[in-house]
Amino acid sequence: MSNILHLPITTLAKLIRSGEISPVELIESAFEAIDRGNPELNAFITLFREQSLEGARQAEREIREGHIRGPLHGMPIALKDIIHVTGAPTRCGSSFFSVDSTRPDATVTARLKGAGAIVIGKTNLHEFAYGVTTENPHFGTTANPWNTSHVAGGSSGGSAVAVAAGFSAGALGTDTGGSVRIPAAMCGVVGLKPTYGRISVTGVLELAQSLDCVGPICRRVEDAAVIMNALAGYDISDVNSVNRSVPDYTDSLSDSVSGMKAGLPRQHCFEDLHPDVESSVAEAIEILGQLGVEVVELDLPSIPDAHQATLTLLMAEASHFHRKRLAEHREDYSHDVREIIEDGRKFSASDYVAAVRVREQARREFARAFECVNFLLTPTVPAPAPLRSMMDTSEGSDSNRMRPRLTQNTRIFNLLGLPAISVPCGFTAESLPVGLQIVGRWWAEDELLRVAHTYEQATPWHGMSPNDNGAEADKNSVSTIRG
């Protein structure tokens, strides 16, 4: 493998501890890959070269002296430019907005640094994290590394590309309606949205306060577990953080899934699928069945109403958050973001209260469902990555028209606060990645990661990268593995 950052974090950590590679060499490799590939892919808004090299030298000294902080020690990690890093502005993909660089690190930034990770830069995003394509008129479009004619997904597109392209060992994104899982699926990597309140959002710019989550984007499920170990836990400064015990997420990854039960919500979640998405997900479900998972159909009639309720809450809360800024900088917003913020102002208090009631009804229905099944399975996104150049200066932009379709299977789990992970499960005929979404019970990220890891280890998708040119040749190789 030509790019060492395509290796798992745990493998890189072993190489560092054995002295086969130093943290300095790893950081240098990251920036060499960025220098080669970022001009075309446009994953980063800001890079921290000197700070990263100094951090790598410090990590090297600490490790040599036996002060090893864990598997993230010396790892290059990228953060979405909505997460505060002391010493750097947080622009949120905007032409006019900037958080003072003297602001303290976000809680997740501080926890990563405490685990020895090296923040190498801040990644591109859909403006104010309010979109699904990462076509940003101020910082440029982030291209899909599998086919640069297509979008990377959003809003955490830069973070997903940084991982898929081998620019970083892992990355953080934010997920309010699918913004970690959608780009992860479209870029062929792993993206985890935790239970609401599991990871602090202090120091992360708000989009919709009752829905916002921070989650890891990685090449392997085990990498996501490692990052979760660093991030999860109570934060008194976050009013929505929940004081609940946190397991070691790597402990049960290899436990058997035999005897577990998966539910398929066919209505809504399996409707209007691209044929290649449908076939890839069907094969993934079949493989889990062969691994001992019992698969049953589920009737969840609240899903369509919950889907709409999520949109109501998201748009209303985002419009409230941006109300003063929009009044002062209306023309500085990109058209698609301005359009949806202004549309959000049309919702009344009655609309908001009705959406909250739908959420409570849906929570009860899903709680009953989880008495019968351990997890749910759906396609992450019903279609592969769309072509670029979806931005439109006319009324009703293509980008906004795509939101309901691309968030069809993701945003309801933000409404419910459930943990959900996207793992690669195949490719389309055009060699664009497809994602399988696994949704767990509240606070059951360890179980969710175990199912995802078991599926990952039984299939070849996690071993592929955009540089391999092997997707076309290997796209049907699951049949060999199954045999």
Side-chain angles (χ1 to χ4, degrees):
M1 187 174 293
S2 59
N3 188 333
I4 194 170
L5 285 166
H6 283 148
L7 293 173
I9 286 174
T10 49
T11 300
L12 292 172
K14 290 176 183 175
L15 292 173
I16 287 175
R17 287 197 300 271
S18 68
E20 294 179 61
I21 186 172
S22 74
V24 172
E25 291 170 328
L26 194 58
I27 294 299
E28 288 174 341
S29 294
F31 282 108
E32 287 170 5
I34 291 168
D35 290 340
R36 288 193 305 270
N38 196 59
E40 181 178 29
L41 298 178
N42 196 33
F44 283 93
I45 286 177
T46 305
L47 291 170
F48 308 136
R49 290 180 189 269
E50 292 306 316
Q51 303 96 313
S52 296
L53 285 169
E54 178 53 39
R57 287 189 283 268
Q58 178 180 338
E60 188 169 343
R61 289 191 297 269
E62 290 174 347
I63 292 168
R64 188 187 306 121
E65 294 167 0
H67 304 304
I68 300 172
R69 303 192 206 179
L72 288 176
H73 205 170
M75 292 298 144
I77 302 293
L79 303 187
K80 184 177 182 178
D81 191 28
I82 194 172
I83 300 170
H84 298 334
V85 177
T86 298
T90 300
R91 299 185 179 92
C92 305
S94 166
S95 65
F96 68 90
F97 179 85
S98 182
V99 173
D100 188 348
S101 62
T102 62
R103 287 277 295 272
D105 283 335
T107 298
V108 290
T109 307
R111 288 181 176 176
L112 282 174
K113 289 180 178 179
I118 298 171
V119 177
I120 61 170
K122 304 187 79 177
T123 56
N124 201 2
L125 66 156
H126 208 107
E127 184 185 20
F128 287 112
Y130 208 1
V132 292
T133 64
T134 313
E135 291 192 293
N136 189 312
H138 313 301
F139 292 92
T141 296
T142 296
N144 193 303
W146 293 91
N147 185 330
T148 56
S149 297
H150 293 252
V151 300
S155 63
S156 308
S159 290
V161 171
V163 172
F167 298 161
S168 64
L172 295 190
T174 58
D175 193 311
T176 304
S179 288
V180 162
R181 291 160 287 157
I182 292 168
M186 290 183 176
C187 293
V189 293
V190 174
L192 172 64
K193 183 203 87 68
T195 304
Y196 184 78
R198 177 57 96 183
I199 293 177
S200 173
V201 296
T202 297
V204 180
L205 191 81
E206 179 180 324
L207 176 57
Q209 183 267 340
S210 74
L211 306 170
D212 293 341
C213 294
V214 174
I217 299 176
C218 310
R219 286 186 58 81
R220 305 286 195 282
V221 173
E222 187 176 16
D223 295 347
V226 166
I227 293 178
M228 280 293 293
N229 281 346
L231 299 184
Y234 180 59
D235 177 12
I236 195 171
S237 67
D238 178 358
V239 296
N240 294 303
S241 181
V242 177
N243 192 358
R244 189 182 178 102
S245 63
V246 178
D248 183 332
Y249 292 106
T250 63
D251 272 355
S252 60
L253 283 179
S254 299
D255 290 356
S256 174
V257 299
S258 182
M260 296 180 76
K261 188 178 287 188
L264 300 185
R266 291 282 185 190
Q267 294 174 307
H268 184 84
C269 291
F270 285 79
E271 294 173 357
D272 193 24
L273 301 182
H274 184 283
D276 292 346
V277 171
E278 186 172 22
S279 61
S280 292
V281 170
E283 187 158 30
I285 292 168
E286 183 180 346
I287 290 169
L288 281 167
Q290 293 174 353
L291 292 167
V293 173
E294 181 185 354
V295 180
V296 299
E297 303 277 336
L298 273 186
D299 183 22
L300 292 168
S302 68
I303 288 180
D305 288 344
H307 181 69
Q308 184 57 45
T310 315
L311 187 61
T312 299
L313 297 180
L314 194 162
M315 292 176 66
E317 291 181 18
S319 296
H320 175 75
F321 179 73
H322 282 278
R323 67 194 186 283
K324 293 181 180 178
R325 198 172 294 116
L326 184 68
E328 297 172 357
H329 295 277
R330 184 180 185 277
E331 297 306 316
D332 295 319
Y333 282 82
S334 62
H335 183 273
D336 73 312
V337 172
R338 182 175 72 239
E339 177 187 358
I340 198 166
I341 290 173
E342 291 180 336
D343 282 348
R345 297 166 66 182
K346 300 173 185 176
F347 290 106
S348 66
S350 296
D351 295 327
Y352 192 89
V353 170
V356 170
R357 288 176 176 169
V358 169
R359 173 162 56 191
E360 293 311 311
Q361 292 166 357
R363 277 178 174 163
R364 287 196 291 271
E365 182 177 280
F366 274 74
R368 289 193 298 270
F370 280 117
E371 292 175 358
C372 304
V373 300
N374 299 97
F375 56 91
L376 309 178
L377 296 172
T378 79
T380 308
V381 187
L387 288 166
R388 291 171 58 176
S389 302
M390 292 171 56
M391 297 295 291
D392 187 347
T393 57
S394 65
E395 286 298 317
S397 71
D398 284 341
S399 182
N400 282 338
R401 282 194 290 268
M402 288 296 292
R403 288 176 209 252
R405 177 156 166 75
L406 297 185
T407 61
Q408 171 181 317
N409 293 345
T410 55
R411 73 185 187 207
I412 57 174
F413 302 116
N414 292 84
L415 179 78
L416 301 172
L418 290 165
I421 190 169
S422 179
V423 292
C425 71
F427 291 86
T428 67
E430 291 77 30
S431 297
L432 291 168
V434 177
L436 172 70
Q437 181 175 229
I438 310 170
V439 183
R441 298 174 291 189
W442 290 275
W443 311 107
E445 288 89 352
D446 52 346
E447 190 172 79
L448 192 66
L449 288 160
R450 170 160 48 111
V451 176
H453 182 259
T454 300
Y455 170 75
E456 177 186 77
Q457 295 304 300
T459 56
W461 316 122
H462 64 285
M464 298 179 183
S465 74
N467 302 324
D468 291 340
N469 297 318
E472 184 67 33
D474 291 334
K475 104 181 129 169
N476 296 316
S477 62
V478 172
S479 59
T480 303
I481 291 176
R482 287 168 47 202

